[in-house]
Amino acid sequence: MQKTLEEINQRIREGKAVVLTAEEIVGYTREKGLKAAFKEVDVVTTGTFGPMCSSGVYFNMGHTTPRMKLGGGRAYLNDVSAYAAFAAADLFIGANALPDDDPRNRIHPGEFNYGGGYVIEELVAGKDIRLEASAYGTDCYPRRRLSSYLNIKDLNEAVLFNMRNAYQNYNVAVNLSDKTIYTYMGVLKPNMGNINYCTAGMLSPLLNDPYYRTIGIGSRIFLGGGVGYVAWQGTQHNPGVARTEGGVPKGGAGTLAVIGDLKQMDARYLVGTSMLGYGVTLSVGIGVPIPILSEEILQSTLVTDDDIVGTVIDYSSAYPNLRPGAVAEVTYAQLRSGSVDINGKNIPTASLCSYSRAREIAVKLKTWVEQGKFEITSPVAPLPGIDSGLKVRPFNERPLGDTNHHIL
Amino acid sequence: MKTSKRIVLRFPQRLVDRPIVYHLIRDFDLAFNILKASITPDKEGLMVLEITGEREAYDKGIAYLNEAGVKIDSLNREVTRNENRCTHCGACVTMCPVDAFSIDEDNREINFDAKKCIVCGICIQACPPRAMELHF
C-alpha cells in the first residue's frame, strides 16, 4: 500500500496530519506494529544542530548615493572580510572568515573568538553591523569609499546558503599521539584520552532516509529557525560508502546544499562557534520532514542509535595525512552512554552537536506541520543515490614547474 | 567548627625550596586539596588550595603562612555559564578535570555544577559557542 504526498498535504491543510518525531516514531511503531503505524502516521520529523562550516550569507544592500561598485572592491563586516566579487551591491560572508588582524594559529592554539559565523549570528539577530568598503570607481559607479552601519531589516535580500550540511553520519574522532591536538572535532587529548562525535544520530535527517527516497532537490525544510529548501546535493556527497545491513552509512556519506531567507530565521538556530586551534564556524539548525509514503520509508525512520555505527578515526595522523584505516567502529548508543571501550581502554565521549537542540528542532517542525503551516514538497529531482557512481575524490595534485610560481 | 576555604598562595622565590605546605598538615592538622600549582618563569610559585580543618587551626595555619612570607589571596574568581549562549552540545564534558559538567539523561541538556568547579579555565576556550565565562 502506498500513500500519496497529496493525501498527506490535504491532511496537513485540514490540521489532521499525524506527525511524530524521529524519536517518537520508534516506540509508537513498536507498540502499534508497522502496518497500523503506517496507516496512521503521515510525517516523521528529524533535526540536527551542529557546526556546519560550509555556511555563508549573501545579501543585496541596495545602491548607495552616489552609486558604488562593490564588485572587485573590498568589504568588511565588523572587521571580517566579506567576498566582494559579485555585482555592485551584493556581498557574501562565509562562516569561516576572520578579521585580518586575528592572530590565527600564530599563538597556538588560536582562540578564534570572532569571525564570519558571529557576524551571521548578529545579522540575523537584528544587530547593527559595521560595513567598511572601498572600490575603484567607474563612470557609472563613481563612489570609492563607504563606512556605515547596516541592518538586516534594510537589506533587499539576505539569504543563507550552505554548500555542505546535514552530513549523513560522520567520523568519530580520537587522538593516538602523545600530545593534545586541536581539531574541528574539538580538543582531542593524547593517547585516546577522549572521543568526540558530531551527529544527531537517530534524529539526523539523512540517517532517517538513508537512500534519499523522500529528500531531494526542492525539499522544503526547517533551516535556521525559518523555512528553507534543499538546493542540490551538498559538496562531497558520497552515497557509495560502506553501509550496515539496515542501509545506514558507516561514515560521512550524503550531504545537502541548502538555501533559505535569512530574514525569517532565528539566532537561536544560527550560532557563531569557535573551535580552539582550528577556526571560527557557524552552528546551524536543520530539520527535514519525511512523508511516510510507504512502509519501506516508515521502516527507515525507525533507526535508533543502536543501529548507527560511527567509524573512529585517528585525527593525529591518519586523518591529516589522508590515510585510510579506522581505529574501531562504535554505535551511537555506545557513544551517548558517556564512555566507550576501545582495545580494553575506557574512553569518555563528548558530542560537538547539541542533541537537545536537535530534538527541539524536530519538535518545532512537528508543530509547524500539525498546525498546517508547513506542507511537504515532492523533490523536483532526486539526490544522486548509491547507484550513481558518484564518489568523493582526493585532490589530483600536479605540481607547477619552478618557472610557473607566481605568488609563493 | 570546621571551615573550608579556597585560597591562592604566592611563594616568593626564596621560599620555593621550603616544605611550607607540609607544615600546614603536620603542625595544624589541616587537610588540603591542590587545585592548581605552577612556577612562573621568574621562579615565583603559585598554588591554589582548598584548605579544610577546624576554624582555630585554620586561622593558625594562615598566620603561619603569613609569617613565612607567603602572600595569600582569597580565590575570588569564578567560572559561570552564559545560559543564552550555551547550546548544550557537550564539548565541555570530557574537558573538565573534575566532572563539573554532566549530561541530563532526560532532556539531553548539559548541567554545570559550579560547586565542583576549580576555576582551571579549560572549558572556557574549549566551549564552541564561548558560553563559559571567567569572572573576577
Side-chain angles (χ1 to χ4, degrees):
Chain A
M1 204 181 77
Q2 301 270 312
K3 264 188 258 179
T4 69
L5 195 61
E6 193 36 51
E7 288 165 4
I8 290 175
N9 277 331
Q10 183 60 35
R11 276 195 286 281
I12 293 174
R13 279 191 289 273
E14 291 165 2
K16 290 181 187 160
V18 177
V19 190
L20 279 82
T21 70
E23 284 183 307
E24 293 164 345
I25 191 68
V26 178
Y28 189 86
T29 307
R30 210 171 278 154
E31 196 179 305
K32 301 256 176 171
L34 192 73
K35 288 213 173 342
F38 170 66
K39 233 182 242 172
E40 288 168 32
V41 178
D42 296 302
V43 179
V44 168
T45 59
T46 63
T48 184
F49 180 88
M52 303 198 192
C53 287
S54 304
S55 301
V57 161
Y58 64 85
F59 59 82
N60 178 288
M61 57 185 222
H63 286 275
T64 55
T65 315
R67 291 179 193 268
M68 179 172 178
K69 182 182 181 294
L70 288 173
R74 291 174 190 276
Y76 291 86
L77 299 165
N78 285 354
D79 301 325
V80 178
S81 71
Y83 189 73
F86 299 109
D90 301 297
L91 288 176
F92 185 95
I93 180 152
N96 288 231
L98 290 167
D100 289 347
D101 58 359
D102 189 288
R104 293 163 157 80
N105 258 341
R106 278 199 296 277
I107 305 154
H108 189 75
E111 293 189 9
F112 304 102
N113 286 322
Y114 197 81
Y118 293 83
V119 176
I120 294 169
E121 179 187 333
E122 288 181 36
L123 185 66
V124 73
K127 292 186 182 161
D128 277 342
I129 306 289
R130 277 183 294 108
L131 166 67
E132 289 169 281
S134 66
Y136 52 78
T138 73
D139 291 339
C140 47
Y141 293 93
R143 186 162 182 169
R144 288 164 180 259
R145 296 196 78 82
L146 173 65
S147 61
S148 168
Y149 286 107
L150 165 159
N151 193 287
I152 190 169
K153 68 177 191 299
D154 303 321
L155 302 176
N156 287 315
E157 294 84 15
V159 181
L160 180 75
F161 183 75
N162 311 53
M163 63 185 86
R164 176 172 69 257
N165 283 118
Y167 238 116
Q168 186 178 26
N169 209 339
Y170 205 74
N171 293 344
V172 176
V174 293
N175 170 13
L176 297 183
S177 79
D178 57 7
K179 59 177 196 284
T180 300
I181 60 171
Y182 302 87
T183 75
Y184 69 86
M185 289 299 288
V187 182
L188 297 171
K189 296 184 194 177
N191 306 313
M192 286 207 294
N194 61 347
I195 186 163
N196 283 358
Y197 62 98
C198 195
T199 100
M202 66 185 290
L203 269 173
S204 186
L206 289 177
L207 292 176
N208 282 277
D209 184 8
Y211 295 113
Y212 330 116
R213 289 188 180 106
T214 70
I215 303 171
I217 296 164
S219 289
R220 182 183 289 134
I221 61 170
F222 172 108
L223 178 59
V227 173
Y229 294 87
V230 174
W232 201 251
Q233 70 266 27
T235 53
Q236 294 178 197
H237 183 72
N238 198 25
V241 301
R243 292 176 183 242
T244 65
E245 272 177 40
V248 179
K250 291 183 182 178
T255 64
L256 300 177
V258 298
I259 190 166
D261 178 8
L262 188 75
K263 288 193 175 200
Q264 30 110 16
M265 294 184 194
D266 182 346
R268 182 169 177 80
Y269 305 104
L270 293 173
V271 178
T273 298
S274 302
M275 302 309 288
L276 186 61
Y278 180 74
V280 60
T281 180
L282 183 73
S283 286
V284 180
I286 291 181
V288 180
I290 296 172
I292 304 302
L293 301 169
S294 68
E295 285 180 19
E296 242 179 348
I297 290 169
L298 172 63
Q299 184 69 49
S300 58
T301 66
L302 302 180
V303 70
T304 68
D305 286 343
D306 285 304
D307 310 318
I308 304 168
V309 174
T311 304
V312 183
I313 302 288
D314 169 34
Y315 272 65
S316 72
S317 178
Y319 184 86
N321 294 308
L322 208 71
R323 241 188 5 244
V327 178
E329 285 184 355
V330 289
T331 69
Y332 274 82
Q334 288 172 305
L335 289 169
R336 280 193 209 292
S337 75
S339 65
V340 292
D341 253 53
I342 294 179
N343 304 334
K345 191 179 166 168
N346 191 258
I347 308 163
T349 62
S351 167
L352 299 172
C353 65
S354 169
Y355 196 88
S356 66
R357 205 155 287 184
R359 178 184 283 168
E360 183 182 307
I361 288 164
V363 170
K364 199 165 186 137
L365 181 55
K366 168 183 159 162
T367 315
W368 287 358
V369 179
E370 282 174 341
Q371 293 171 345
K373 288 197 286 201
F374 192 105
E375 286 184 34
I376 317 298
T377 58
S378 187
V380 292
L383 299 175
I386 51 167
D387 300 326
S388 66
L390 192 65
K391 65 179 193 201
V392 173
R393 288 173 298 183
F395 182 65
N396 175 23
E397 187 169 335
R398 292 177 295 120
L400 305 177
D402 280 347
T403 52
N404 280 329
H405 288 289
H406 289 288
I407 333 172
L408 300 173
Chain B
M1 202 179 86
K2 279 237 175 208
T3 186
S4 180
K5 284 197 179 161
R6 290 175 175 194
I7 54 171
V8 182
L9 306 183
R10 287 173 215 280
F11 297 80
Q13 194 179 343
R14 65 183 169 82
L15 290 182
V16 288
D17 54 355
R18 277 178 50 187
I20 301 225
V21 176
Y22 162 76
H23 285 285
L24 275 185
I25 324 171
R26 198 192 66 176
D27 302 347
F28 305 100
D29 193 26
L30 292 169
F32 70 95
N33 183 19
I34 302 173
L35 304 179
K36 188 175 181 178
S38 64
I39 294 176
T40 59
D42 53 358
K43 300 255 183 70
E44 192 198 54
L46 179 138
M47 201 177 239
V48 181
L49 290 183
E50 181 168 19
I51 297 182
T52 310
E54 290 300 323
R55 179 78 224 189
E56 202 181 326
Y58 177 85
D59 290 342
K60 279 186 185 158
I62 295 293
Y64 160 75
L65 290 172
N66 269 322
E67 217 166 285
V70 179
K71 199 170 165 290
I72 306 169
D73 293 315
S74 62
L75 183 65
N76 52 5
R77 295 187 305 167
E78 60 172 345
V79 172
T80 58
R81 184 166 72 180
N82 180 339
E83 299 298 333
N84 291 326
R85 281 214 72 76
C86 175
T87 63
H88 298 276
C89 64
C92 49
V93 175
T94 55
M95 285 294 109
C96 178
V98 291
D99 295 330
F101 299 95
S102 59
I103 302 168
D104 186 319
E105 286 305 322
D106 289 336
N107 59 22
R108 297 280 179 95
E109 290 191 351
I110 311 299
N111 297 322
F112 171 53
D113 184 351
K115 281 195 214 81
K116 285 189 181 170
C117 175
I118 57 167
V119 202
C120 70
I122 289 172
C123 60
I124 293 172
Q125 294 183 323
C127 170
R130 296 289 187 262
M132 303 308 297
E133 295 168 355
L134 182 64
H135 290 273
F136 290 90

